[in-house]
Amino acid sequence: MKILVIEDERGLRENITSYLNVDGNICESCNALTPALQKLSDYDYDCILLDIGLPDGEGFGVLEYLSSSQKNEAVLIISARNSLDDKLKGLNIGADDYLTKPFHLAELKARLMAIHRRKAFNTGNKLVFNEISIDMQGRTVEINQTPITLTRKEYDMLLYFIANKGKVISKNAIAEHLWGDEMDMYDSFDFIYTHIKNLRKKILEAGGKDYLQSIYGMGYKFTD
Amino acid sequence: MKLSQHYTRTSVYISLTVLVIGAVIYYFAISYIGKQQLDRALQQQLTEAEEYIRSNKGDPQQYDLDRDHAVFVKTNAQLPFTRRFFDTTYFNPKEQKREAGRAVEDLVKLGESNYKVVITVSRTDQKHLIELISVITLALLVGLLAVLFVTNKYMLNGLWKPFQLTLNEIKQFNIADVDQFQGKPSKVDEFTELNEAIREMSLRVNHDYLSLKQFTENASHEMMTPLAVVTTKLDTLIQDETLSAAQLGQIADIYSSVNKSSRLNQSLLLLSKLENKMVNEEEVISVEKVIETKIFQFHELLQNKEITIEHTLTPRQIKASKYLVDILLNNLFSNAIRHNVPGGRVLIDLTVNQLSVKNTGTAIALNTQQIFERFQKGKDSQGTGLGLTLVKNICQLYGYSIQYEYEPGWHKFVVTF
């Protein structure tokens, strides 16, 4: 997957790039609107990470450029502005998703994978990971052709882990993914453990491997 | 008391005093002048009488035989005699009654004998004149006071009208509205000046307020990017497999703190948006459905604390922002759960008029004055301290009222639509 990161904050740009640069992904970056438009006219990308507040203009310019040149890149907006207006504006003129700063890299990657899957293969597609096969449309999971029943949260969690395989994911990031803003983190840590335990049990019972590794005091890692 | 009343009262008192003193002085002055005039007339008559007597050399009483105004009496008094004027009464033969008069007494020499002469004239005409003048003066006085009173009452009120208009505008002044103080133009310089001063002041206040608002917003936004950097750096850091459990523990604490500051920041931003009425998107929302979704969302939390939830929901639709209704309910629900006791209860009651969320909890009532204030929270609370402030401001935005009630062992929040 070819990704372009348009973000002016150096620290953020570097971390995002290095986090995404795995599994054969090619991640490029630029720090302003003008070089971004230049890159977009020269190359094709699968996904674009777009910051709205850029030093030489609003990131909406990228969306306008994409729609005027009929390009089909998936766009994920990352913005410090949490206003609904910006969100709606971005989504209306062609962005696929909107993520508010601060965010976790795991969340960013999961969202990016999700919009990429939607764009690239439409919807009736299956996500296969070793013996695990996920039907994205029917939201069903099979392990070695044996269907298993997952709760909504377990299903979300499995997708989240697969998107971030090989990475340590903090409990904070998992909690935020599963419950969003509704709950304070400290409320939800206990539940994460329960959900992980159930998910692992269901995979193991259906003959899958134990991919979920617990990192003491921090979180979990989904390893191959 | 109103300014016009003050003014009327003072001006009536002063006018009354001045006029009464003036009237008294006027009365005495006129009386004095009248007397002077009578005395001059008497003196004239006296001179005439003396001349008459000197030329006739007979009985002096021949000058006035019917003795109606001049009386001569032979006397032993010698010259020099002091001429004397005095008030008296006399019989007017024409009118056939006694009347007030003015008289002069003097000594007249006729041959060897001295005669005392008393000449009297009527004072009635003069008295009438003074009476008439007094009545006219009094009428004028009453008239003047009446005119003064009416003028003050109606004309002053008219004069103060621009002031009232300005005052009304000031009362309706809302700091968030830009440039809304107009000030009706007035012909009176003072009011024009007042309007100008207020207008300038309101513009300055608006400007300061706007820049402060902008500052709050910008500061909050600017804070989000460094927070994002910290979060992503931590996300990258924990990939390091050589980290010890203790180090990971430290990182977990940093995560929590960063998370808390970003929540705080978001709440502050939302608060400033609410205070500036910048949330506009409204839609029709079925409250009972949103509540059902919320109960489902919170069911893990409820189960964890073994809290039972009971609800009676009457369908009720409101027009509001879905996002804000979500925040409102999230805060009420999570408070009801967080500040509950293990095995406690939550009762949710939605009627057409109100929504009440009632939970078991500590046996101490919360401070009604403070709970809705910013950063007021229980000492064990992990929240931002902005939850109930958000609830209050959301309610205010839509004209709902929010109340806290305590019944022994139960805490209840009521939103009245």
Side-chain angles (χ1 to χ4, degrees), chain A residues 12 15 80 84 102-105 167-168 172 176 179 182-187 191 195 218 221, chain B residues 221 228-229 231-233 235-236 238-239 241 248 255 259 262-263 273 281 297 300-301 304 338 382:
Chain A
L12 211 52
N15 276 290
L84 215 52
F103 49 80
H104 287 282
L105 288 173
K167 299 281 189 189
V168 178
N172 293 73
E176 210 165 287
W179 288 281
E182 289 141 34
M183 283 198 233
D184 281 342
M185 293 312 138
Y186 66 97
D187 283 331
F191 310 133
H195 287 306
M218 176 49 63
K221 188 169 162 182
Chain B
H221 277 145
V229 175
T231 309
T232 52
K233 293 266 174 202
D235 287 347
T236 312
I238 57 169
Q239 307 306 325
E241 283 168 13
L248 288 172
Y255 265 126
N259 181 263
S262 86
R263 292 176 72 88
K273 254 184 222 157
E281 59 281 336
Q297 273 175 3
E300 289 174 317
L301 214 56
N304 189 47
R338 186 169 302 143
Q382 296 285 317

Side-chain angles (χ1 to χ4, degrees), chain B residues 303-368:
Chain B
Q303 277 171 5
N304 189 47
K305 280 188 108 173
E306 292 171 344
I307 295 167
T308 46
I309 189 159
E310 294 153 47
H311 54 83
T312 9
L313 304 177
T314 317
R316 170 74 162 101
Q317 293 197 321
I318 57 170
K319 212 165 165 248
S321 151
K322 178 126 185 20
Y323 174 60
L324 293 183
V325 172
D326 247 31
I327 292 172
L328 179 93
L329 294 176
N330 277 346
N331 278 303
L332 287 178
F333 281 31
S334 61
N335 278 345
I337 298 168
R338 186 169 302 143
H339 303 294
N340 216 316
V341 288
R345 291 164 72 195
V346 175
L347 306 181
I348 295 164
D349 189 16
L350 175 70
T351 67
V352 177
N353 295 325
Q354 54 179 222
L355 162 70
S356 82
V357 178
K358 192 171 162 186
N359 66 278
T360 47
T362 50
I364 305 153
L366 303 172
N367 184 337
T368 357

Side-chain angles (χ1 to χ4, degrees), chain B residues 59-71:
Chain B
D59 182 8
Q61 199 56 54
Q62 278 175 344
Y63 174 69
D64 183 20
L65 282 173
D66 36 355
R67 302 165 71 97
D68 63 343
H69 70 274
V71 179

Side-chain angles (χ1 to χ4, degrees), chain B residues 368-388:
Chain B
T368 357
Q369 301 292 316
Q370 287 181 350
I371 46 170
F372 295 109
E373 294 294 314
R374 289 176 184 210
F375 302 118
Q376 289 294 332
K377 54 176 183 177
K379 43 182 187 295
D380 304 326
S381 172
Q382 296 285 317
T384 55
L386 292 172
L388 282 176

